[in-house]
Amino acid sequence: MPLFFKISLFFFFVSSSYPLDNNHPLESLTLFELTQVTNIVKNSYFPLNVTFHYVGLNEPNKQLVLSWLSSTHHPALPREAIVITRIDQKTHEIIVDLSSVSILSDKIYNGHGYPMLTLQEQTAADELPLSYPPFISSIKKRRLKLKEVACQGYPVGWYGEKKKSTNRMVKVICYYLDGTINLYMRPIEGITIIVLLDQMTIASYIDRLIVPVPKANGTDYMGSKRRRSSHESNSIKIVQPDGPSFTLDNGNTVRWGDWKFHVAYDMRAGIIISLASMFDADKREFRSVMYRGFVSEVFVPYIDLTEEWYYRTYFDAGEYGFGLCAVELEASKDCPENAKFIDGYFISQDGTPGKMPNVICIFERYAGDIMWRHTELAIPGKVIRKVRPEVSLVVRMVSTVGNYDYITDYEFKQSGTIKVTVSKPRS
Amino acid sequence: MPLFFKISLFFFFVSSSYPLDNNHPLESLTLFELTQVTNIVKNSYFPLNVTFHYVGLNEPNKQLVLSWLSSTHHPALPREAIVITRIDQKTHEIIVDLSSVSILSDKIYNGHGYPMLTLQEQTAADELPLSYPPFISSIKKRRLKLKEVACQGYPVGWYGEKKKSTNRMVKVICYYLDGTINLYMRPIEGITIIVLLDQMTIASYIDRLIVPVPKANGTDYMGSKRRRSSHESNSIKIVQPDGPSFTLDNGNTVRWGDWKFHVAYDMRAGIIISLASMFDADKREFRSVMYRGFVSEVFVPYIDLTEEWYYRTYFDAGEYGFGLCAVELEASKDCPENAKFIDGYFISQDGTPGKMPNVICIFERYAGDIMWRHTELAIPGKVIRKVRPEVSLVVRMVSTVGNYDYITDYEFKQSGTIKVTVSKPRS
């Protein structure tokens, strides 16, 4: 299965083996549940081919969750999944109930927009041009080597067309390696390739103009090929000799200082923070700060009117999936030494669940900053001095969408605020 | 000398003993030089009383400094001091040449504005109301205890008056302790006390109205009296097993990564960063980023029109001195464990130089953030991954002006930018 080659490097596919071992109602679907869900849907449509674009928890309504939260014995709430599939070139939104092992609802979606791209269909689309004679001829015409070409499919956008198209499509853009790994620095401009995803065929091919490919020299970003700094830096680490101050239970509820919240992985949204609340020591109770928070969308419009660029107006969360594009986080690099990690579970196109190890990290952040301080000299005969360092708690995910690496941080501050940042470091 | 009581707790007055042991032209005046300067001025005006409000380096002009910088043997440049004094109720701006041990120029300043307040005159003004019968009577009328009152003098602002006043004055505001150290939470409102600083007398006293003093309960900011968090935190430290990566020579030139700059202490500006430059590995030379940078002013207007508040429009750097109000920095609290410290030297009102130990700290900052990263999946058969943590270098001073604690950070980033922040943590 060459289509799976790229992702199999990253994700260790695991077999479903154990049931839900906790009963937090907002916990992401487990491996066991994901397998159940896709089996229910596949069995229901057998022998039709079902492609899975999104499977996630269908959360119980807020009132149910809040009453669960305030009860002392925390009774298990119903577990449901929302499934977005393509079946017979139609988009289905299916709700699956896990306790009754049945489909609660199944609607065909006819509105604008399409399901998220799967990793498998992206890989398949990327490979199409490489064996497509007109493209091979275009590459030859440019005096480039076909084996140094790498392609990527991108959504086509929407420009007010009234007629709804049932065709899911991407435009495939190709880049040139040949001496660099930094392919985005060497676009092969002037070519527009439209791929129909359900058919996985090239529907339209235009080679409009030849633009010289920029040189490879100086584009490499790996350390060994970059010019060296005049001084090398000594290592710097954040250490907690007594361990982290936060706890993470097996239902992914985090407690830190006065904070309590739930963290979950979602294929589309990435991190979902729920039930974030802070302990009020005066009232001796938790006060709700945020019921549910996640990145709803990241819009990336290039605002370039040329034929090969006008459509580059991506929804990087909704089209690619911030969770699906998340990378395995590396200790001491993506997250500091004192981080703890959480795994995520996603569904591949054929319904097989996959594990994303260390997809979320949680750590106490200390940058040497001061949260609060005062030196009081106005009281005769006294010098009063109080300094409180700024320590916060960060929940992080990194999502790589094409050449963009998004760092999503939910930073919980002792002041009671949550600072959410989606940042793109230089890359 | 009761006037000196407050500051003698903080500053260890040292005798001048050693001459300049380096020849960086932008180095702050040394103890030896400061003593020379004040002796030259005092001798010149003997037997008149000279009060010193500011003494700092009179920098050589930029062309001289740049030619010094580009020369290989770094010849010592002339050392000059600028002195701002009050003599016979007039403000003098005096330039002293240290090599010829002489006064180069001496001008009487007649424009708007006044020299910085000295610590000694602030303390003296603060104590005046406590033995002033009308004030004692005001306190009695409010049924407050005089021994629980603490006062502070504040500049009076300027509201378009045409006539220039040669009188330096402050308005003294009093606060109530009695059960709290957080005096600013308990202002004794309704009283306006004008103190003439040169005469050190109360020139005007108005008790306009009685406002109840807020209660002390719940105002204490010291840890032992605050409500406890529901969880205590484990310690968190920034460590560099091989030591810091920056060097600091005895002329206070800092080198870190591709950066090189000079850091100096100034009574008014606090930190002065000079000759900040970055090594350009392609050109094999340093490129200038900033010739000289410092906080020119911090304006704090309260925008409250009532009689006792309208004048509160402070210049916290120029009236109080960001350097003069700087505090001794505490390792692991004001600055992280990996910080190095620099001392500063100031002049007290009578010309005695004083040492401010650990008044500037320098440390490498690492918050677990990512400076640069990319995971490349678009090259068939390869997964490329590169992550560079964000480490920067911070030069910090903390200046406590009344109830405000300003944290001034110059953050040097590997990207070549300098991020300057003057922040006031909650206090």
Side-chain angles (χ1 to χ4, degrees):
Chain A
M1 292 157 76
L3 302 193
F4 287 81
F5 178 68
K6 204 159 65 175
I7 67 154
S8 63
L9 283 169
F10 244 90
F11 309 121
F12 177 58
F13 281 78
V14 286
S15 58
S16 54
S17 53
Y18 55 88
L20 189 65
D21 66 347
N22 71 76
N23 69 355
H24 197 294
L26 302 181
E27 185 56 356
S28 308
L29 295 175
T30 63
L31 265 178
F32 180 82
E33 290 174 326
L34 286 170
T35 310
Q36 268 193 303
V37 168
T38 55
N39 284 341
I40 291 166
V41 174
K42 281 192 284 191
N43 291 342
S44 150
Y45 279 97
F46 184 82
L48 285 182
N49 185 35
V50 179
T51 62
F52 291 88
H53 292 260
Y54 171 83
V55 180
L57 178 71
N58 192 38
E59 294 194 1
N61 74 47
K62 189 171 173 178
Q63 279 316 312
L64 268 180
V65 172
L66 292 181
S67 61
W68 172 87
L69 192 68
S70 61
S71 77
T72 46
H73 59 293
H74 296 326
L77 294 186
R79 298 281 288 175
E80 294 178 7
I82 179 161
V83 180
I84 297 178
T85 61
R86 288 287 281 185
I87 303 167
D88 196 19
Q89 296 185 42
K90 291 189 182 66
T91 301
H92 289 245
E93 293 182 342
I94 302 172
I95 306 290
V96 174
D97 178 49
L98 282 156
S99 46
S100 63
V101 194
S102 63
I103 288 174
L104 289 185
S105 72
D106 185 343
K107 289 176 189 158
I108 292 176
Y109 177 81
N110 285 315
H112 279 295
Y114 300 97
M116 269 166 45
L117 300 167
T118 70
L119 296 176
Q120 292 79 2
E121 68 191 359
Q122 287 182 64
T123 305
D126 298 350
E127 290 175 352
L128 280 182
L130 303 177
S131 57
Y132 186 69
F135 180 76
I136 294 170
S137 146
S138 292
I139 291 303
K140 209 169 175 182
K141 202 163 65 180
R142 284 168 174 77
R143 300 172 187 278
L144 303 176
K145 292 167 251 175
L146 189 66
K147 71 176 176 55
E148 298 290 342
V149 174
C151 304
Q152 283 207 313
Y154 297 89
V156 298
W158 178 72
Y159 297 90
E161 300 90 344
K162 287 266 161 42
K163 185 169 156 258
K164 284 174 196 166
S165 169
T166 54
N167 284 328
R168 296 174 60 240
M169 55 179 91
V170 289
K171 291 189 180 174
V172 177
I173 302 171
C174 297
Y175 302 92
Y176 202 52
L177 297 162
D178 199 27
T180 188
I181 50 164
N182 198 350
L183 55 132
Y184 305 102
M185 293 291 97
R186 309 194 78 189
I188 302 171
E189 292 283 0
I191 300 172
T192 301
I193 310 168
I194 297 180
V195 170
L196 298 179
L197 291 172
D198 290 331
Q199 296 79 359
M200 201 48 75
T201 56
I202 291 177
S204 156
Y205 183 87
I206 300 165
D207 185 352
R208 193 172 67 88
L209 82 166
I210 294 179
V211 179
V213 168
K215 63 184 172 55
N217 192 26
T219 62
D220 203 312
Y221 49 76
M222 298 303 281
S224 58
K225 296 197 180 168
R226 284 177 77 234
R227 63 168 182 74
R228 306 296 281 217
S229 164
S230 49
H231 300 266
E232 288 302 303
S233 290
N234 294 341
S235 72
I236 185 164
K237 289 180 202 301
I238 297 170
V239 298
Q240 296 188 280
D242 307 316
S245 308
F246 68 90
T247 59
L248 173 67
D249 70 17
N250 65 3
N252 286 331
T253 291
V254 178
R255 285 158 199 265
W256 177 75
D258 289 331
W259 278 104
K260 186 170 77 173
F261 60 88
H262 183 263
V263 57
Y265 165 88
D266 180 79
M267 280 177 70
R268 183 173 51 217
I271 294 170
I272 297 179
I273 301 291
S274 301
L275 300 174
S277 61
M278 223 195 179
F279 190 71
D280 182 330
D282 293 331
K283 298 190 175 174
R284 309 298 303 168
E285 63 182 26
F286 278 93
R287 291 170 61 175
S288 175
V289 176
M290 180 172 78
Y291 179 73
R292 189 169 188 238
F294 59 89
V295 174
S296 56
E297 195 48 270
V298 177
F299 180 46
V300 188
Y302 278 79
I303 323 278
D304 183 325
L305 297 179
T306 53
E307 180 60 29
E308 295 80 13
W309 281 82
Y310 80 89
Y311 62 87
R312 304 192 193 189
T313 53
Y314 311 125
F315 292 135
D316 271 354
E319 292 177 327
Y320 289 97
F322 251 35
L324 189 61
C325 293
V327 301
E328 180 176 351
L329 298 168
E330 204 176 337
S332 301
K333 293 201 163 175
D334 290 312
C335 312
E337 294 69 20
N338 58 331
K340 284 188 183 178
F341 296 86
I342 296 179
D343 301 331
Y345 298 94
F346 72 107
I347 280 292
S348 59
Q349 183 175 296
D350 67 355
T352 314
K355 179 177 178 175
M356 292 187 139
N358 298 346
V359 77
I360 293 173
C361 73
I362 306 179
F363 61 90
E364 283 165 279
R365 182 181 195 274
Y366 172 56
D369 290 335
I370 299 169
M371 178 177 74
W372 192 100
R373 91 172 308 290
H374 187 50
T375 299
E376 185 55 70
L377 296 171
I379 303 175
K382 277 190 185 174
V383 174
I384 291 164
R385 184 192 177 86
K386 186 76 188 176
V387 184
R388 297 190 175 90
E390 173 81 54
V391 180
S392 56
L393 188 77
V394 173
V395 179
R396 173 174 295 170
M397 178 179 279
V398 174
S399 308
T400 296
V401 181
N403 54 333
Y404 283 19
D405 294 61
Y406 292 106
I407 298 160
T408 304
D409 278 359
Y410 288 83
E411 184 180 2
F412 295 82
K413 299 198 175 232
Q414 293 179 65
S415 60
T417 56
I418 307 172
K419 182 180 173 190
V420 187
T421 51
V422 179
S423 61
K424 200 184 95 49
R426 288 174 291 283
S427 61
Chain B
M1 292 157 78
L3 302 192
F4 287 82
F5 178 68
K6 204 158 67 175
I7 67 154
S8 64
L9 283 168
F10 245 90
F11 310 122
F12 177 58
F13 280 78
V14 286
S15 58
S16 54
S17 53
Y18 55 88
L20 189 65
D21 67 348
N22 72 77
N23 70 355
H24 197 294
L26 302 180
E27 185 57 356
S28 308
L29 295 175
T30 62
L31 265 178
F32 180 82
E33 290 174 326
L34 286 170
T35 309
Q36 268 193 304
V37 168
T38 56
N39 284 340
I40 291 166
V41 174
K42 281 193 284 191
N43 291 342
S44 150
Y45 279 97
F46 184 82
L48 284 182
N49 185 36
V50 179
T51 62
F52 291 88
H53 292 260
Y54 171 83
V55 180
L57 178 71
N58 192 38
E59 294 194 1
N61 75 47
K62 189 171 173 178
Q63 279 315 313
L64 268 180
V65 173
L66 292 181
S67 61
W68 172 87
L69 192 68
S70 61
S71 77
T72 46
H73 58 293
H74 296 326
L77 294 186
R79 298 281 287 175
E80 294 178 8
I82 179 161
V83 180
I84 297 177
T85 60
R86 289 287 280 185
I87 304 166
D88 196 18
Q89 297 185 41
K90 291 189 182 67
T91 301
H92 290 246
E93 292 182 342
I94 301 172
I95 306 290
V96 174
D97 178 49
L98 283 156
S99 46
S100 63
V101 195
S102 63
I103 288 174
L104 289 185
S105 72
D106 185 343
K107 288 176 190 159
I108 292 176
Y109 177 80
N110 285 315
H112 279 295
Y114 300 97
M116 269 167 45
L117 300 167
T118 71
L119 296 176
Q120 292 80 1
E121 68 190 358
Q122 287 182 65
T123 305
D126 298 351
E127 290 175 353
L128 281 183
L130 303 178
S131 57
Y132 186 68
F135 181 76
I136 295 170
S137 147
S138 292
I139 292 303
K140 210 169 175 182
K141 202 163 64 180
R142 284 168 174 77
R143 301 173 187 278
L144 303 176
K145 292 168 253 176
L146 190 66
K147 71 176 176 55
E148 298 290 342
V149 174
C151 304
Q152 283 207 312
Y154 297 89
V156 298
W158 178 71
Y159 296 90
E161 300 90 343
K162 287 265 160 46
K163 185 169 157 258
K164 283 174 196 167
S165 169
T166 55
N167 284 329
R168 296 174 59 240
M169 56 180 91
V170 290
K171 291 188 179 174
V172 176
I173 302 171
C174 296
Y175 302 92
Y176 202 51
L177 297 162
D178 199 27
T180 188
I181 50 163
N182 198 351
L183 56 132
Y184 305 102
M185 293 291 97
R186 309 194 78 189
I188 302 171
E189 292 282 0
I191 299 172
T192 301
I193 310 167
I194 297 180
V195 170
L196 298 180
L197 290 172
D198 289 331
Q199 296 79 359
M200 201 48 76
T201 56
I202 291 177
S204 156
Y205 183 86
I206 299 165
D207 185 352
R208 193 172 67 88
L209 82 166
I210 294 179
V211 179
V213 168
K215 63 184 170 58
N217 192 25
T219 62
D220 203 312
Y221 49 76
M222 298 303 282
S224 58
K225 297 198 180 167
R226 282 178 77 234
R227 63 169 182 74
R228 306 296 281 217
S229 165
S230 49
H231 299 267
E232 288 302 303
S233 290
N234 294 340
S235 71
I236 185 163
K237 289 179 201 301
I238 297 170
V239 298
Q240 296 188 278
D242 307 317
S245 308
F246 67 90
T247 60
L248 173 66
D249 69 18
N250 65 3
N252 286 331
T253 291
V254 178
R255 285 158 199 265
W256 176 75
D258 290 331
W259 279 105
K260 185 170 77 173
F261 59 89
H262 182 264
V263 57
Y265 165 88
D266 180 79
M267 279 177 70
R268 183 173 51 218
I271 294 170
I272 297 180
I273 300 291
S274 301
L275 301 174
S277 61
M278 222 193 180
F279 189 71
D280 182 330
D282 292 332
K283 298 190 175 174
R284 309 297 303 168
E285 64 183 25
F286 278 93
R287 290 171 61 176
S288 175
V289 176
M290 180 172 78
Y291 179 73
R292 189 170 188 237
F294 59 89
V295 174
S296 56
E297 195 48 270
V298 177
F299 180 46
V300 189
Y302 277 79
I303 324 278
D304 183 325
L305 297 179
T306 53
E307 180 59 29
E308 295 81 12
W309 281 82
Y310 80 89
Y311 62 87
R312 304 192 193 188
T313 52
Y314 311 125
F315 292 135
D316 272 354
E319 291 177 327
Y320 290 97
F322 251 34
L324 189 61
C325 293
V327 301
E328 179 176 351
L329 298 168
E330 203 177 338
S332 301
K333 293 201 162 174
D334 290 312
C335 312
E337 294 69 21
N338 58 332
K340 283 188 183 178
F341 296 86
I342 297 178
D343 300 331
Y345 298 94
F346 72 107
I347 281 292
S348 58
Q349 184 176 295
D350 67 355
T352 314
K355 179 177 178 175
M356 292 187 139
N358 298 347
V359 77
I360 293 173
C361 74
I362 306 179
F363 61 91
E364 283 165 278
R365 183 182 195 272
Y366 172 56
D369 290 336
I370 299 168
M371 178 177 73
W372 191 100
R373 91 172 308 290
H374 187 50
T375 300
E376 185 55 69
L377 296 171
I379 303 175
K382 276 191 186 174
V383 175
I384 291 164
R385 182 192 178 86
K386 186 75 187 176
V387 184
R388 297 190 174 91
E390 173 81 54
V391 180
S392 55
L393 188 76
V394 173
V395 179
R396 172 175 295 170
M397 178 179 281
V398 174
S399 309
T400 296
V401 181
N403 55 333
Y404 283 18
D405 294 61
Y406 292 105
I407 298 160
T408 304
D409 278 359
Y410 288 83
E411 183 179 2
F412 295 82
K413 299 197 176 234
Q414 293 179 64
S415 60
T417 56
I418 307 172
K419 183 181 173 190
V420 187
T421 51
V422 179
S423 61
K424 200 184 93 50
R426 288 174 292 283
S427 61

